[in-house]
Amino acid sequence: MEAIEELAVQPCTSSLYLRPFRLSYRQNGTKKFWDFMRTHDSVSILIFNTSRQCFVVVKQFRPAVYMCEIERHQPQVFENQDKESFPSLENPLPAAVGVTYELCAGIVDKPGLSLEEIACEEVLEECGYRVSIADLRRITSYRSGVGVTGSRQTLFYAEVNDQMRTSGGGGQPEEGELIEVVEIPLGESMKFAYDETFPKTMGVIFSFMWFHNNIAPKLPKK
């Protein structure tokens, strides 16, 4: 996962996932504009393995996170952003700075499938558990990246057990996915959530808090 080589930054002239726009408008009599990106909505799933009393999350390399760290250490990288060429990354950082812990998730890009069906597919592909729509509990939906994309993510909860696991997960290599499945013990989950040495998404923190408020009190006492 962390064997990243031949790094090169270049302008993005077209994308299957992002479309840049500029909105001009007048607000309270003042003329304004705002640059934004249109992208897919998404689903995410908080997975709890009842057999081992742990959360199942994923770990993967995120180029955007990596480049934020690159810019923090080498601000000159993006100085020529309006030109056709960028300076080469002569001393790249270790790939580990771009690896994050996340909930199992996926974009909504299949018009024929419901959000629940897409969530079930993602759980199987990324984490290896076969769940049905009946196994899902919808927690809520929210807007993410409100200053840039404003896309909607819908969060589900699913309980699984060892018997429901049919593969090791890991995503779809043919689509370039390289995902590591990670288990976070229930007793260590809140410490993990607030430990900044483990880069993670807000979805992980929020969903762990939701679980401890809504599910944990109902678990059988040891």
Side-chain angles (χ1 to χ4, degrees):
M1 178 184 293
E2 298 179 9
I4 305 297
E5 302 173 300
E6 300 180 10
L7 292 160
V9 180
Q10 56 193 5
C12 180
T13 57
S14 64
S15 172
L16 295 174
Y17 307 103
L18 302 172
R19 291 178 293 153
F21 295 94
R22 172 168 291 182
L23 177 68
S24 298
Y25 61 102
R26 187 177 296 277
Q27 184 178 25
N28 291 351
T30 302
K31 188 69 175 178
K32 298 181 178 182
F33 71 88
W34 193 267
D35 298 334
F36 67 98
M37 305 284 289
R38 284 298 302 125
T39 187
H40 294 286
D41 289 341
S42 60
V43 297
S44 60
I45 310 94
L46 172 64
I47 304 172
F48 183 68
N49 184 313
T50 58
S51 298
R52 289 196 298 283
Q53 296 288 290
C54 66
F55 295 106
V56 181
V57 300
V58 297
K59 180 181 176 183
Q60 56 187 318
F61 176 78
R62 290 298 194 181
V65 174
Y66 181 78
M67 291 310 299
C68 283
E69 289 299 307
I70 287 285
E71 184 177 21
R72 189 162 67 90
H73 291 83
Q74 304 175 30
Q76 72 278 7
V77 168
F78 292 106
E79 288 178 354
N80 297 326
Q81 58 183 320
D82 295 325
K83 300 179 181 180
E84 294 185 0
S85 62
F86 289 75
S88 59
L89 301 179
E90 298 179 355
N91 298 299
L93 297 174
V97 303
V99 174
T100 60
Y101 294 82
E102 310 168 16
L103 296 179
C104 172
I107 60 175
V108 177
D109 62 347
K110 300 174 182 176
L113 299 183
S114 67
L115 296 179
E116 290 79 7
E117 289 172 322
I118 293 174
C120 290
E121 283 192 353
E122 294 298 334
V123 173
L124 181 61
E125 292 173 2
E126 293 192 358
C127 300
Y129 292 92
R130 188 174 298 280
V131 300
S132 67
I133 292 177
D135 297 318
L136 296 177
R137 172 177 172 178
R138 181 179 175 132
I139 298 177
T140 190
S141 65
Y142 45 82
R143 296 289 180 177
S144 59
V146 293
V148 180
T149 68
S151 59
R152 181 189 297 273
Q153 183 166 93
T154 302
L155 174 61
F156 295 96
Y157 170 65
E159 291 185 356
V160 300
N161 55 52
D162 289 345
Q163 287 67 46
M164 296 168 67
R165 193 167 194 185
T166 60
S167 73
Q172 295 183 304
E174 65 275 13
E175 295 183 3
E177 292 183 325
L178 182 59
I179 295 172
E180 179 182 341
V181 180
V182 180
E183 295 183 343
I184 309 297
L186 175 59
E188 301 174 12
S189 57
M190 291 314 298
K191 179 181 178 181
F192 171 83
Y194 288 104
D195 188 340
E196 295 184 18
T197 63
F198 296 100
K200 65 188 71 65
T201 63
M202 178 55 70
V204 171
I205 300 173
F206 169 75
S207 61
F208 281 13
M209 292 176 62
W210 175 88
F211 182 94
H212 279 275
N213 288 331
N214 294 274
I215 305 298
K218 303 174 185 177
L219 294 176
K221 302 296 182 181
K222 292 186 178 180

